[in-house]
Amino acid sequence: MTPDRGATRTDTLRFVDEVTVVLAARYGRWACGWDWGIGEGGGGGVVASWCCDSHSVGEPADTAARVVASLREWRDWIEELADRFAALAPPSDASPEDRSWHLERAATRLVTVVVDRTGAEAGWYRTCRLVLIWFLTSAGLTPDEARTAAESAIDGRFKSWVAPPATLIDSVGEDLAVGLTGTRPYRDF
């Protein structure tokens, strides 16, 4: 049941938390990003179907429809990322130079897709950091190693409401790759 019209922000947040618990129990942990909306209200996420709690929670039928649409949108994003991760992963037998090239390429492509999907609105860089961590863990790093590598490469270089120039995205990709391999990616120029 959704909060009443006179509900406080705390009531609305509690409701969204309870929906998240139900969705995660039913579908798994992947569902925990269903309400991570684009922009300031959503914290820099990728879900367009859910704005922010105060705008998205309302009449029960409308709210339920938004929750379902948001969950589907979030699932599509997770599946898209899984496909991208598989396509961008360095081969297990890659030389350090080739591994560095694959990591740089993956980072630049993933940052670019996050910028596109979030519109580089408020807090988009948090989504970027998370996507890089997910990619790196899928490529064999521990969660702590992946978090350290992503944070080191980004290190306050991205800002809300500012799409980074291609040169900055390239620099982040190269820094991530060199930080993980100690080797610069091969350049044919």
Side-chain angles (χ1 to χ4, degrees):
M1 172 176 264
T2 60
D4 296 333
R5 286 190 183 268
T8 66
R9 176 149 170 76
T10 301
D11 294 333
T12 304
L13 290 171
R14 185 178 312 118
F15 168 77
V16 171
D17 288 345
E18 290 170 359
V19 169
T20 302
V21 168
V22 169
L23 292 174
R26 171 76 168 103
Y27 299 110
R29 288 188 58 199
W30 69 264
C32 289
W34 71 272
D35 65 327
W36 204 6
I38 297 170
E40 193 168 2
V46 298
V47 176
S49 301
W50 192 266
C51 169
C52 58
D53 303 341
S54 62
H55 290 121
S56 296
V57 176
E59 295 300 318
D62 294 338
T63 302
R66 278 191 286 276
V67 169
V68 169
S70 298
L71 183 63
R72 287 181 173 162
E73 190 176 353
W74 179 251
R75 178 63 184 217
D76 288 346
W77 170 246
I78 298 293
E79 290 175 357
E80 177 186 334
L81 287 177
D83 291 343
R84 287 180 185 274
F85 293 173
L88 294 170
S92 58
D93 63 344
S95 68
E97 186 176 271
D98 286 345
R99 182 170 175 74
S100 187
W101 179 84
H102 279 278
L103 291 170
E104 177 190 36
R105 178 174 160 257
T108 58
R109 289 182 180 195
L110 293 170
V111 170
T112 301
V113 79
V114 169
V115 169
D116 290 345
R117 189 69 176 261
T118 63
E121 292 194 21
W124 71 271
Y125 47 84
R126 287 190 291 268
T127 302
C128 183
R129 177 182 162 271
L130 183 60
V131 166
L132 290 176
I133 291 168
W134 285 348
F135 170 72
L136 293 171
T137 57
S138 77
L141 273 66
T142 68
D144 286 341
E145 291 169 335
R147 186 174 301 106
T148 299
E151 288 172 355
S152 178
I154 293 172
D155 195 25
R157 297 161 88 176
F158 297 145
K159 306 288 184 230
S160 290
W161 307 104
V162 178
T167 53
L168 177 55
I169 294 172
D170 290 344
S171 177
V172 166
E174 185 170 322
D175 291 350
L176 180 87
V178 171
L180 289 170
T181 66
T183 304
R184 293 214 175 277
Y186 171 76
R187 306 273 185 176
D188 61 352
F189 55 85

